[in-house]
Amino acid sequence: MGVGPHDERFMAAAIRLSRWHTGLTSTNPSVGCLIVRDGVIVGRGVTALGGRPHAEPQALADAAELARGATAYVTLEPCSHHGKTPPCAEALIAYGVARVVIAVTDPDPRVSGRGIALLRAAGIEVDAGLLEEEGRRALAGYLTRQTKNRPYVTLKLAISADGMIGREGGGQVAITGPAARAQVHSLRAETDAILVGIGTAIADDPLLTVRTPGLESQSPIRTVLDPALELPLTSKLVNSARDVPVIVVARPEMDEARAEPLRSAGVEILPCDPYHPEVLLPALASRGISSLLVEGGAKTARLFLDAGLVDRIQLYQGPGTIGEGGIESPLQKTDMPSGFAHRGTFIFGEDRLDEYEREL
Ligand code: AOF
Ligand code: ZN
């Protein structure tokens, strides 16, 4: 039969559905599944919060007997392994689905190719690779952790009209307005961990949580690169460590007298050279962190850029100037590193967001 224009429309809808739970499914990918019969959606499912059940059994249960002879649109190859739940490929077969359309094949070695093979062996027509690029972007965290053993890294910068990201000794400086800030909070909500350098942690005393009403429980793990354990015990980060986790990345040969009170306040100390992101990122990935948001400051941004370990750049530009005593942005629109493609421009009130992304 082959792939038709309606297939793209339904797959695009399945990808949108998958984004509902991005960052909220633990180490599992957030997958979207639609069951379509005679051009009508009769079942839908997205990987449940925490990662289980998977998308397909939920969509199939939703469609019930209407799944027989229908087409399933799934953003990731249905699983074939007996994990914590039975294989989704078997569920699709049992419900009598006639055709399965897939965006991205699963790199998980327990599944890769086997899901498709199981479906075909049961006589189901399978079309794989539809809207693959969009599907890969929606699954970026999962795919990066599976194939590169590190989280997908987003660098976010807010730059004033005169190219500054803050003021020396000025604490937190408002560069963008409330609409852009709300946008950053929803990005935090779909991200597993957020990272700043000790300079920013001391100068700004940030909280780094999600404060959008209704999303407060989705705050990322807060990570500070703090080689010599200088994070003040009176900081907002330390004081909230029992509510939202804080990981301090310190040099392995650390001063125990500094480490102990931090630990007692609920902070986890990760002994790892803070200046080697190529070592730190796999350590974070092994804790199940699939996405990381680097939020400051200039030195930390440079560290990740120079290591070639940034996948996406979000550059916010506000209308105000900082002038005298300004800290220059480590990156301007005019000197984007090679390999980054401009993905789009978005307007939030008086602010502008330009997004750049590397090939996954
Ligand atoms: C699907 N549909 O919605 C998701 C899938 O630990 P388990 O047993 O839940 O298995 C985790 C693996 O399942 C994960 O690595 C990935 O291969 C797949 N995730 N598969 O068919 C889904 N979330
Ligand atoms: Zn599954």
Side-chain angles (χ1 to χ4, degrees):
M1 216 163 45
V3 171
H6 294 303
D7 289 330
E8 271 198 16
R9 204 160 54 80
F10 287 122
M11 185 58 83
I15 292 171
R16 283 198 298 278
L17 179 63
S18 78
R19 289 191 180 271
W20 284 24
H21 288 173
T22 299
L24 307 175
T25 52
S26 181
T27 55
N28 236 343
S30 180
V31 174
C33 177
L34 292 179
I35 312 287
V36 175
R37 193 185 167 109
D38 303 325
V40 178
I41 296 172
V42 294
R44 65 196 87 212
V46 55
T47 309
L49 298 178
R52 289 172 210 99
H54 289 182
E56 299 90 326
Q58 301 181 72
L60 289 164
D62 191 20
E65 68 275 12
L66 293 178
R68 191 157 296 281
T71 297
Y73 295 84
V74 199
T75 61
L76 182 72
E77 177 180 5
C79 68
S80 55
H81 67 291
H82 288 266
K84 303 211 169 82
T85 54
C88 292
E90 280 180 10
L92 289 160
I93 295 165
Y95 271 83
V97 166
R99 179 173 174 240
V100 176
V101 185
I102 296 164
V104 181
T105 51
D106 190 346
D108 186 321
R110 296 172 299 174
V111 178
S112 197
R114 288 194 192 92
I116 291 177
L118 262 181
L119 295 169
R120 288 205 170 120
I124 294 178
E125 183 190 348
V126 180
D127 289 302
L130 181 67
L131 295 188
E132 185 172 0
E133 206 192 317
E134 290 83 342
R136 289 180 67 80
R137 248 182 266 154
L139 291 163
Y142 171 73
L143 296 175
T144 307
R145 198 170 68 85
Q146 279 279 352
T147 62
K148 299 185 179 164
N149 189 33
R150 66 167 177 83
Y152 176 84
V153 177
T154 300
L155 170 65
K156 181 234 128 188
L157 288 166
I159 307 183
S160 63
D162 55 346
M164 306 295 173
I165 59 165
R167 187 179 288 120
E168 215 65 70
Q172 288 202 33
V173 180
I175 291 173
T176 51
R181 268 204 300 280
Q183 185 61 26
V184 171
H185 279 237
S186 48
L187 175 65
R188 285 180 183 174
E190 63 169 50
T191 306
D192 292 337
I194 190 166
L195 180 141
V196 296
I198 184 63
T200 299
I202 290 175
D204 292 5
D205 192 18
L207 195 52
L208 303 175
T209 52
V210 177
R211 296 187 292 281
T212 305
L215 297 182
E216 296 95 335
S217 65
Q218 298 178 16
S219 287
I221 296 172
R222 298 159 306 158
T223 314
V224 185
L225 299 186
D226 185 11
L229 292 176
E230 292 171 293
L231 186 65
L233 293 171
T234 53
S235 62
K236 288 184 190 151
L237 283 167
V238 173
N239 279 308
S240 58
R242 293 203 189 282
D243 305 321
V244 181
V246 173
I247 298 179
V248 162
V249 184
R251 267 197 215 101
E253 58 288 354
M254 66 185 77
D255 179 356
E256 269 306 313
R258 283 183 176 274
E260 199 35 52
L262 284 168
R263 282 198 202 99
S264 309
V267 169
E268 181 187 341
I269 298 181
L270 174 63
C272 182
D273 187 336
Y275 298 124
H276 286 281
E278 73 281 5
V279 181
L280 171 63
L281 291 181
L284 295 178
S286 73
R287 284 152 191 262
I289 293 172
S290 306
S291 54
L292 180 74
L293 178 59
V294 175
E295 271 213 42
K299 261 170 53 191
T300 304
R302 257 293 130 219
L303 180 70
F304 279 81
L305 285 168
D306 290 348
L309 288 170
V310 175
D311 299 296
R312 175 169 64 160
I313 298 170
Q314 290 204 340
L315 228 157
Y316 283 88
Q317 181 108 48
T321 55
I322 291 192
E324 200 66 13
I327 302 167
E328 212 174 303
S329 171
L331 192 65
Q332 308 284 350
K333 245 181 259 173
T334 46
D335 61 7
M336 236 356 101
S338 64
F340 282 87
H342 188 236
R343 286 270 180 244
T345 301
F346 311 88
I347 303 295
F348 298 103
E350 288 192 277
D351 307 315
R352 171 191 164 114
L353 164 63
D354 283 285
E355 186 170 85
Y356 305 82
E357 198 178 21
R358 276 202 315 196
E359 209 51 47
L360 268 180

